């Protein structure tokens, strides 16, 4: 792990963000690849994995994004937390807007419960768009943190950025599987199911590069940018991930998956950051 951290210290931060988000996309593709082995896994397993995803995202939002954003803000008392509050609100508002516009369907929901602008698009397209929607803040978070490290902001560390990329990658693995399996259930071939599953995370390298570039170009926005990514991720967890785990009888399994994901991400961030 020390060699990995050293490597990311030595390369261009935008390139580092690109490589890190390629890693998170790669684990999505690997998770989607499980569709070649399983056609219909237990619903309890799916809900547990989705819960794990939510736990990682919530822990990353605080430990990797909000806490460093507040630490590097100037001022004292209420003034110090204003950038984090503003950025958090803007991030949640950004995903809220996309959620109302972009047609999408949550994983465990029926086709008549699709959200966003009404379209005749197929269920598979709507499912992929739903996951793509909450991969945007994940890629953005990784890119922003790498950009902050390169800008020399106190509180942003290369270990923390690597930990965030690792945590996002870990939760992308079951996420890729969670996208590919419904495709397979609805009659798509294993190859097409895998293609759809991995495609949902292709937005992460794009968002990662944009996030790193924005912070390097406009350094004062970093506390806002970190909190923006946190607000976007929390919105996704509350609006999408948690409801997806509450559609069946395995809510306790999903809850324990959430706790496990939170603990793992917290441990990674504190241990490496």
């Amino acid at each position: 792990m020390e060699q990995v951290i050293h490597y990311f210290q030595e390369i261009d931060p935008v390139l580092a963000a690109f490589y890190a988000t390629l890693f998170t996309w790669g684990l999505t593709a690997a998770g989607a690849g499980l569709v070649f082995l399983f056609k219909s896994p237990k619903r309890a397993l799916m809900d547990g994995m989705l819960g794990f995803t939510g736990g990682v995202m919530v822990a990353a939002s605080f430990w990797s994004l909000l806490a460093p954003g507040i630490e590097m803000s100037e001022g004292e008392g209420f003034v110090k937390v204003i950038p984090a509050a503003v950025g958090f609100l803007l991030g949640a508002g950004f995903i809220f807007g996309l959620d109302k516009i972009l047609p999408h369907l949550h994983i465990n929901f029926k086709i008549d419960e699709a959200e966003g602008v009404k379209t005749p698009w197929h269920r598979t397209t709507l499912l992929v768009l739903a996951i793509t929607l909450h991969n945007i803040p994940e890629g953005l978070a990784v890119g922003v943190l790498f950009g902050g490290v390169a800008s020399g902001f106190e509180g942003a560390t290369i270990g923390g950025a690597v930990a965030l990329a690792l945590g996002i990658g870990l939760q992308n693995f079951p996420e890729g599987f969670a996208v590919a399996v419904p495709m397979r259930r609805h009659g798509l071939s294993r190859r097409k199911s895998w293609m759809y599953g991995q495609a949902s995370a292709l937005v992460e390298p794009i968002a990662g590069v944009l996030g790193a570039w924005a912070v390097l170009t406009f350094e004062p926005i970093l506390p806002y940018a970190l909190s923006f990514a946190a607000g976007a991720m929390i919105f996704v967890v509350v609006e999408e991930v948690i409801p997806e785990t509450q559609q069946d009888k395995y809510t306790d399994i999903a809850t324990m998956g959430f706790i496990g994901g939170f603990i793992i991400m917290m441990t990674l961030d504190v241990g490496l950051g």
Side-chain angles (χ1 to χ4, degrees):
M1 184 58 69
E2 290 182 0
Q3 292 178 331
V4 172
I5 293 174
H6 178 73
Y7 173 76
F8 278 108
Q9 285 176 323
E10 298 298 317
I11 62 175
D12 178 83
V14 174
L15 191 61
F18 179 68
Y19 286 160
T21 47
L22 274 183
F23 165 76
T24 63
W25 164 78
L27 282 183
T28 305
L34 292 178
V35 77
F36 290 101
L37 303 176
F38 306 99
K39 181 178 180 179
S40 183
K42 300 286 187 181
R43 179 63 181 270
L45 175 63
M46 297 294 293
D47 285 348
M49 292 193 300
L50 284 172
F52 178 86
T53 292
V56 169
M57 292 176 73
V58 169
S61 296
F62 176 74
W63 295 98
S64 299
L65 301 171
L66 276 176
I70 294 172
E71 182 180 340
M72 64 184 62
S73 298
E74 298 179 357
E76 299 292 336
F78 288 111
V79 174
K80 190 174 181 64
V81 80
I82 287 176
V86 171
F88 192 88
L89 180 62
L90 290 175
F94 173 70
I95 299 298
F96 175 79
L98 288 180
D99 186 71
K100 296 303 178 185
I101 297 171
L102 186 69
H104 62 284
L105 177 66
H106 297 253
I107 291 173
N108 291 322
F109 284 61
K110 299 177 181 178
I111 187 65
D112 59 1
E113 296 177 291
E115 299 180 0
V117 176
K118 299 300 180 183
T119 74
W121 292 350
H122 196 272
R123 180 186 180 92
T124 54
T125 303
L126 296 174
L127 282 168
V128 172
L129 286 175
I131 302 299
T132 300
L133 183 64
H134 74 73
N135 279 332
I136 293 174
E138 293 171 9
L140 184 64
V142 174
V144 165
L145 200 50
F146 272 105
V149 173
S151 298
F153 278 89
E154 185 178 354
T157 67
I158 192 67
V162 170
L164 177 61
L166 183 58
I168 295 297
L170 286 175
Q171 63 94 26
N172 274 4
F173 184 84
E175 196 172 85
F177 189 39
V179 178
V181 165
M183 309 296 180
R184 180 64 179 149
R185 284 177 179 166
H186 285 86
L188 271 69
S189 68
R190 285 185 169 87
R191 181 176 177 277
K192 284 188 176 180
S193 298
W194 176 79
M195 288 294 292
Y196 276 115
Q198 61 84 30
S200 64
L202 285 175
V203 70
E204 289 193 5
I206 299 171
V209 168
L210 287 176
W213 172 82
V215 169
L216 289 169
T217 306
F218 310 101
E219 289 187 9
I221 72 168
L222 181 59
Y224 296 91
L226 289 170
S227 303
F228 181 97
M233 285 211 287
I234 292 295
F235 182 92
V236 165
V237 172
V238 176
E239 205 277 335
E240 293 193 23
V241 177
I242 291 177
E244 288 167 7
T245 67
Q246 305 300 303
Q247 300 298 305
D248 212 310
K249 59 184 178 181
Y250 302 109
T251 55
D252 288 344
I253 294 175
T255 301
M256 294 311 297
F258 183 98
I259 297 298
F262 189 98
I263 291 172
I264 288 174
M265 184 65 235
M266 177 179 65
T267 303
L268 284 173
D269 190 85
V270 175
L272 295 177

